[in-house]
């Protein structure tokens, strides 16, 4: 069975602070893919990043960065210098290669206060 | 239009009504999905269609009936729903590899907010 845990239900930060959203996953497969999605108040989930299990390099995209550590089965997401527009629910997801095996976490609601 | 569109955006229905949700993708993808999003629960995958063939049905009650007439359109027919079916229903599409693996990201529509009275 596979599982994605996002232990942080809600986080509030003041604008310009850095914030890290945690994601811990479980799978017995050696090949898998990890994703982060953002869901703003408008409702639709927006894809942010995909990582495969063979690529542990961290990635930076503007104010966003991702830390993938297989040793701890974690794929954490950091927003640097947060902005009000970052307020949303963020979902971590795990795919083990079959379309029926995409598992989403429960999401972390981020509120950035001006 | 681009991306994935869903209509209607909001729907209120009684338990005896019959309604349909519509999803359309303009991305040329070969797979489409229906998800249910309830408060404080993970996204629940309901149905998956690959090349217009239903390949996944996650023990969804028969009062939900999907239809995929072509690779761009997906419907969810609703009848005799219960109040606990009130939720945000999200449609998504993706491009599956030849092996059917879901290693590509999914593109989501804005959802239909359904309220069952």
């Amino acid at each position: 069975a596979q599982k994605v845990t996002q232990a942080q239900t809600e986080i509030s930060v003041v604008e310009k602070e850095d914030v890290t959203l945690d994601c811990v996953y479980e799978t017995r497969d050696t090949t898998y893919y990890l994703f982060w999605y953002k869901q703003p108040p408008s409702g639709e989930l927006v894809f942010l990043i995909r990582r495969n299990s063979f690529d542990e390099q961290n990635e930076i995209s503007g104010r966003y960065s991702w830390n993938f550590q297989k040793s701890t089965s974690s794929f954490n997401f950091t927003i640097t210098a947060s902005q009000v527009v970052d307020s949303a629910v963020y979902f971590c997801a795990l795919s083990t290669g079959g379309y029926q095996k995409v598992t989403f976490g429960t999401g972390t609601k981020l509120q950035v206060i001006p | 239009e681009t991306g994935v569109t869903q209509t209607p955006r909001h729907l209120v229905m009684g338990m005896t009504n019959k309604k349909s949700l519509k999803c359309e993708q303009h991305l040329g993808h070969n797979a489409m999905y229906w998800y249910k999003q309830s408060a404080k629960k993970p996204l629940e995958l309901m149905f998956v269609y690959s090349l217009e063939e239903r390949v996944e049905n996650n023990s969804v009650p028969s009062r939900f009936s999907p239809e995929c007439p072509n690779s761009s359109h997906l419907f969810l027919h609703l009848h005799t729903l219960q109040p606990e079916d009130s939720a945000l229903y999200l449609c998504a599409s993706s491009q599956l590899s030849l092996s059917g693996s879901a290693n590509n990201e999914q593109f989501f529509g804005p959802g239909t907010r359904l309220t069952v009275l």
Side-chain angles (χ1 to χ4, degrees), chain A residues 2 7 39-40 52 71 80 86 112 114:
Chain A
Q2 58 187 52
Q39 186 178 35
N52 72 55
S71 60
T80 303
D86 296 327
V112 181

Short mmCIF file of all heavy atoms in Angstrom, two decimals, chain A residues 2 7 39-40 52 71 80 86 112 114:
data_model
loop_
_atom_site.label_atom_id
_atom_site.label_comp_id
_atom_site.label_asym_id
_atom_site.label_seq_id
_atom_site.Cartn_x
_atom_site.Cartn_y
_atom_site.Cartn_z
N GLN A 2 0.39 2.29 -0.60
CA GLN A 2 1.15 3.52 -0.60
C GLN A 2 0.39 4.59 0.15
O GLN A 2 -0.83 4.56 0.23
CB GLN A 2 1.47 3.96 -2.02
CG GLN A 2 0.28 4.18 -2.92
CD GLN A 2 0.72 4.45 -4.35
OE1 GLN A 2 1.49 3.69 -4.92
NE2 GLN A 2 0.24 5.53 -4.91
N ALA A 7 1.56 16.25 7.47
CA ALA A 7 1.17 16.38 8.87
C ALA A 7 0.67 17.78 9.21
O ALA A 7 -0.12 17.96 10.14
CB ALA A 7 2.34 16.02 9.76
N GLN A 39 -3.51 24.44 -4.85
CA GLN A 39 -4.93 24.67 -5.08
C GLN A 39 -5.33 26.02 -4.49
O GLN A 39 -5.58 26.15 -3.30
CB GLN A 39 -5.80 23.56 -4.46
CG GLN A 39 -7.29 23.70 -4.82
CD GLN A 39 -8.12 22.56 -4.24
OE1 GLN A 39 -7.86 22.06 -3.15
NE2 GLN A 39 -9.15 22.14 -4.99
N PRO A 40 -5.39 27.05 -5.34
CA PRO A 40 -5.81 28.36 -4.86
C PRO A 40 -7.32 28.36 -4.58
O PRO A 40 -7.99 27.39 -4.89
CB PRO A 40 -5.45 29.28 -6.02
CG PRO A 40 -5.45 28.40 -7.23
CD PRO A 40 -5.05 27.03 -6.76
N ASN A 52 11.22 12.05 -10.03
CA ASN A 52 11.21 10.59 -10.04
C ASN A 52 12.18 10.07 -8.99
O ASN A 52 13.07 10.78 -8.52
CB ASN A 52 11.52 10.03 -11.44
CG ASN A 52 12.97 10.21 -11.83
OD1 ASN A 52 13.87 9.79 -11.12
ND2 ASN A 52 13.19 10.81 -12.98
N SER A 71 16.25 8.78 1.95
CA SER A 71 16.60 8.15 3.22
C SER A 71 15.50 8.36 4.28
O SER A 71 15.31 7.52 5.16
CB SER A 71 17.93 8.69 3.74
OG SER A 71 17.84 10.10 3.93
N THR A 80 10.33 30.66 -0.29
CA THR A 80 11.17 31.72 0.28
C THR A 80 10.49 33.07 0.07
O THR A 80 9.89 33.31 -0.97
CB THR A 80 12.53 31.72 -0.42
OG1 THR A 80 13.13 30.41 -0.27
CG2 THR A 80 13.47 32.76 0.17
N ASP A 86 0.72 33.37 -2.46
CA ASP A 86 1.07 31.97 -2.18
C ASP A 86 0.00 31.29 -1.32
O ASP A 86 0.05 30.08 -1.11
CB ASP A 86 2.42 31.89 -1.46
CG ASP A 86 3.57 32.40 -2.31
OD1 ASP A 86 3.52 32.23 -3.55
OD2 ASP A 86 4.52 32.97 -1.74
N VAL A 112 -0.80 33.31 4.01
CA VAL A 112 0.25 34.32 4.12
C VAL A 112 -0.43 35.63 4.46
O VAL A 112 -1.25 36.15 3.70
CB VAL A 112 1.05 34.44 2.81
CG1 VAL A 112 2.13 35.49 2.97
CG2 VAL A 112 1.65 33.10 2.42
N PRO A 114 -0.56 39.58 5.15
CA PRO A 114 0.19 40.77 4.71
C PRO A 114 0.72 41.59 5.89
O PRO A 114 0.25 41.49 7.01
CB PRO A 114 -0.86 41.58 3.93
CG PRO A 114 -2.17 41.01 4.27
CD PRO A 114 -1.98 39.62 4.80
#
